[in-house]
Amino acid sequence: LRNVRKMVAIPEDSPTNILFSYGMASILLQFLSISYINEEELQFEASWILANMMSSNNPKYFEEIINIGAPQALLQLLSLTPSLNVAKNVMWTLANIAGESIKLRDVLLKLGAFDIVEGIIKKATTVSEEFCRTIVWLLSTLSRGRPAPPDEQILRVFPIFAHIILRNEDEKMILEAIWALSSIAEMGNRIKEEFFRFELIPKIMALTRSENLTITFAALRVLGNLTNSIDEFTQVIFFSSPAR
């Protein structure tokens, strides 16, 4: 597996197509079952390879991974693995799956992806910045897209995005959080009110002046979506403007 990982790690000459054609995804999934949960090195290698294979954005690969039951197996492993390194790789794979299409996102949501990630956040004590970024990326991909996830699920993860926007200085996490919020801001008024309850508007206004143009664009999109329905929201945003 270590040798396969080294081959997959070369972007310009990745053997992903060959690996799928020889059934490597099914083999990796066997190694990622809870039967091997105490084999951290084995599961680390297998999860790293699968995560990279699923970075290819080829629809036929995602179709195969769904057909062999990967979402169920990966979420089960994520909920039980004691290894943060394995968990990070699994979340990376799940984020790629969720980001591929609304259909695949909804598959993960119906399997309880939010519950499992929430459990990881509660259990984690000391984690790396990279681990935190992966969590935020996964939550972001699970929260984006139309039709939106159910309000109840978004209301549970909204405080996490709000905390990142208000308290975190890491640009990568802010970017994922603000992209998620830009999609969430298209939802109904019940969700839109959360932006004001958490007092996010001044910070989002500040992010429109970010040197990172992607963050600036996403922040502007949040404000645009919030002002698209109710005059009350528009007035609050207007009076939050530093220009006044």
Side-chain angles (χ1 to χ4, degrees), residues 92-116:
W92 182 11
T93 306
L94 292 170
N96 279 325
I97 293 173
E100 172 63 15
S101 70
I102 298 301
K103 178 182 176 181
L104 296 184
R105 181 206 69 183
D106 288 347
V107 167
L108 296 180
L109 290 176
K110 288 177 182 177
L111 290 170
F114 273 143
D115 292 331
I116 293 169

Side-chain angles (χ1 to χ4, degrees), residues 55-122:
S55 298
S56 62
N57 296 323
N58 188 322
K60 70 177 183 180
Y61 298 159
F62 288 96
E63 182 179 352
E64 178 173 338
I65 212 77
I66 296 301
N67 289 340
I68 62 176
Q72 295 89 332
L74 292 173
L75 286 169
Q76 183 181 39
L77 177 60
L78 183 59
S79 67
L80 297 173
T81 180
S83 169
L84 292 178
N85 289 326
V86 171
K88 180 166 72 70
N89 289 342
V90 171
M91 288 191 292
W92 182 11
T93 306
L94 292 170
N96 279 325
I97 293 173
E100 172 63 15
S101 70
I102 298 301
K103 178 182 176 181
L104 296 184
R105 181 206 69 183
D106 288 347
V107 167
L108 296 180
L109 290 176
K110 288 177 182 177
L111 290 170
F114 273 143
D115 292 331
I116 293 169
V117 177
E118 190 176 50
I120 290 173
I121 293 172
K122 289 179 179 178

Side-chain angles (χ1 to χ4, degrees), residues 118-178:
E118 190 176 50
I120 290 173
I121 293 172
K122 289 179 179 178
K123 288 188 297 183
T125 51
T126 302
V127 295
S128 68
E129 192 173 69
E130 191 62 34
F131 188 86
C132 291
R133 287 173 178 169
T134 307
I135 287 178
V136 176
W137 178 35
L138 175 55
L139 289 176
S140 181
T141 56
L142 288 170
S143 303
R144 300 202 301 254
R146 304 293 289 175
D151 285 4
E152 291 69 23
Q153 293 187 331
I154 293 299
L155 287 170
R156 289 170 56 188
V157 297
F158 194 98
I160 298 172
F161 295 133
H163 178 81
I164 292 167
I165 296 299
L166 295 171
R167 304 278 182 252
N168 203 291
E169 298 297 328
D170 184 272
E171 274 203 349
K172 291 184 178 180
M173 282 192 269
I174 290 173
L175 180 58
E176 289 299 336
I178 199 71

